[in-house]
Amino acid sequence: KAIEELEKILYYIQNPKVYKGRNVDKGIIMYGRSGTGKSLIAKALSEECGCYFKKIGATDMENMYVGQTEKQWQILFDDLIKKQPSILFIDEADALCKERGGKDTYGDKELNKVLQLMSDIKLANEQVFVILATNKFEVLDSAVTRDGRFGRHIEILPPQTVDEVEQIFNIHTKNLKLDISENDRNEIYTEMLNLEYTGSAIEGVVGQAHDIAIKRTGIFDKMKSRAVITDNDLEKLYIIAEDVKTAIKNREMKNHRKSIGFKHSEQNNS
C-alpha cells in the first residue's frame, strides 16, 4: 500500500500532461518503526523516476551562526529546483518538525523557513518532492502535517504476512548458501511475523545466522589461527535452520535484557 501511494509521484513525474491544471502536493510524510525501510523505499522511488535524489538528516543544516541555517535551506531548495524533477528525503524529521512552542527560537525559525520553502515550491508548481521520515509522527507540528504542506501521510509497517517475511528473508540470503527445509522455513517465517520483525531485524538475524554457521563449520577457528581457508571449507559453509533459530533466540534474549534493564532503571529513579 505504501508503494502504491508513492507511485503517484512517479506517475506525476513521468506524465506531467495528465496533471496539467492541478497543483499536486509536494510533501509526503513516511512514518513507522525504525528499520521498516523508509529510506530504502524513497531511494527506490527516485531510481524508478530517474530523478535527482538527495538524502539528509534533520539536523544536517544546523549552523552555529544566526541566519546561516535558513540560508543553507534556501541553497538546498534552489539546487533541488535547478535539478528538478527531484526528491529530497529528510530522515528523523521529528528533530526538525517537532511542535513549535517558542522555547527553541532557532529551531522555530528553521522550521518556519522550511515551511515557507514548501509553500514556494507548491505555489510555483515545481517538480520537487520532499519526503519526511519519522518514527514519532505524534510530535510533528500541526503546520507540518496539514494539507498543502505535507498532507500525504504514508505508514510504513513491518511485514504483515508470512509471504512478506519470506520475500525480505530471500533478499538478504540470495547470495548465501542455505540448507533449510520447507517446513523449517515456514516455522522461521511465522516466528518472525509473530515477533513483528522489521526488514532490518530480518537482515540482522540473517547476518548473525551466517556468523553462527562460520563458527559451527570451524572456519572461524581457522581464521583465528590464521590458517588458510580452502575451497573445501567454503563448500561446507551453509546456513541451516538451527543457525537461524539460534540467531532469533539470541536476538530475543538481548531485547529482553534491554527491557529488564530499562524497567529496573525506571524503578530506581522512582
Side-chain angles (χ1 to χ4, degrees):
K1 292 180 180 179
I3 291 172
E4 287 175 3
E5 277 296 309
L6 287 168
E7 279 179 338
K8 293 177 182 178
I9 300 174
L10 171 65
Y11 302 148
Y12 172 74
I13 290 175
Q14 293 181 339
N15 305 278
K17 292 181 181 179
V18 176
Y19 296 87
K20 188 177 181 181
R22 175 184 166 190
N23 203 328
V24 176
D25 283 342
K26 303 301 190 299
I28 303 100
I29 299 175
M30 293 171 61
Y31 66 98
R33 286 167 49 191
S34 298
T36 48
K38 295 183 286 292
S39 58
L40 288 174
I41 292 172
K43 186 68 166 65
L45 171 68
S46 70
E47 291 178 354
E48 192 76 13
C49 294
C51 65
Y52 176 67
F53 179 80
K54 177 78 173 179
K55 177 183 176 180
I56 65 169
T59 59
D60 287 356
M61 309 298 282
E62 289 182 1
N63 193 292
M64 61 186 295
Y65 300 109
V66 176
Q68 287 300 306
T69 298
E70 296 95 306
K71 184 178 179 179
Q72 292 301 315
W73 279 106
Q74 183 69 61
I75 291 171
L76 174 59
F77 269 74
D78 287 345
D79 187 53
L80 292 167
I81 292 169
K82 182 179 179 181
K83 295 176 179 176
Q84 63 180 301
S86 56
I87 295 174
L88 171 64
F89 181 83
I90 304 177
D91 203 8
E92 298 180 346
D94 41 279
L96 167 69
C97 303
K98 59 183 179 294
E99 189 79 34
R100 291 170 294 181
K103 295 179 181 178
D104 181 6
T105 306
Y106 294 122
D108 287 356
K109 285 183 178 180
E110 182 179 10
L111 178 55
N112 290 339
K113 179 62 177 181
V114 173
L115 294 175
Q116 175 227 311
L117 291 166
M118 289 300 300
S119 296
D120 290 346
I121 61 172
K122 175 87 185 281
L123 185 63
N125 205 16
E126 308 284 8
Q127 281 192 311
V128 175
F129 294 88
V130 181
I131 301 176
L132 305 180
T134 180
N135 56 0
K136 298 178 182 178
F137 182 86
E138 68 281 357
V139 307
L140 301 184
D141 193 284
S142 58
V144 176
T145 58
R146 73 171 175 80
D147 289 338
R149 296 259 180 65
F150 295 91
R152 188 179 301 174
H153 307 155
I154 304 174
E155 185 176 12
I156 310 297
L157 295 166
Q160 300 295 292
T161 66
V162 170
D163 286 343
E164 290 178 7
V165 173
E166 181 180 8
Q167 287 178 44
I168 296 173
F169 183 84
N170 288 341
I171 287 170
H172 294 300
T173 58
K174 66 181 179 181
N175 296 319
L176 299 171
K177 291 191 294 185
L178 306 179
D179 184 14
I180 306 175
S181 69
E182 194 65 31
N183 286 338
D184 280 328
R185 283 176 179 263
N186 289 332
E187 183 182 334
I188 288 167
Y189 302 151
T190 300
E191 185 172 11
M192 287 180 169
L193 177 67
N194 291 337
L195 291 170
E196 298 185 343
Y197 275 10
T198 62
S200 65
I202 295 171
E203 181 183 12
V205 164
V206 169
Q208 189 176 6
H210 189 234
D211 287 341
I212 292 170
I214 291 171
K215 193 167 186 178
R216 172 178 52 78
T217 54
I219 294 176
F220 180 80
D221 288 335
K222 290 191 73 170
M223 290 191 296
K224 191 175 180 180
S225 63
R226 300 189 178 182
V228 176
I229 306 300
T230 66
D231 290 342
N232 188 46
D233 291 324
L234 296 177
E235 281 296 319
K236 299 175 184 177
L237 180 55
Y238 48 81
I239 296 172
I240 61 175
E242 196 57 38
D243 297 334
V244 182
K245 292 176 182 179
T246 301
I248 292 173
K249 185 178 179 180
N250 291 344
R251 179 182 177 84
E252 292 311 302
M253 287 177 64
K254 181 180 178 182
N255 289 340
H256 180 67
R257 285 196 297 270
K258 285 183 179 178
S259 175
I260 294 299
F262 177 71
K263 290 178 180 177
H264 181 68
S265 175
E266 272 190 334
Q267 289 171 355
N268 288 342
N269 290 336
S270 62

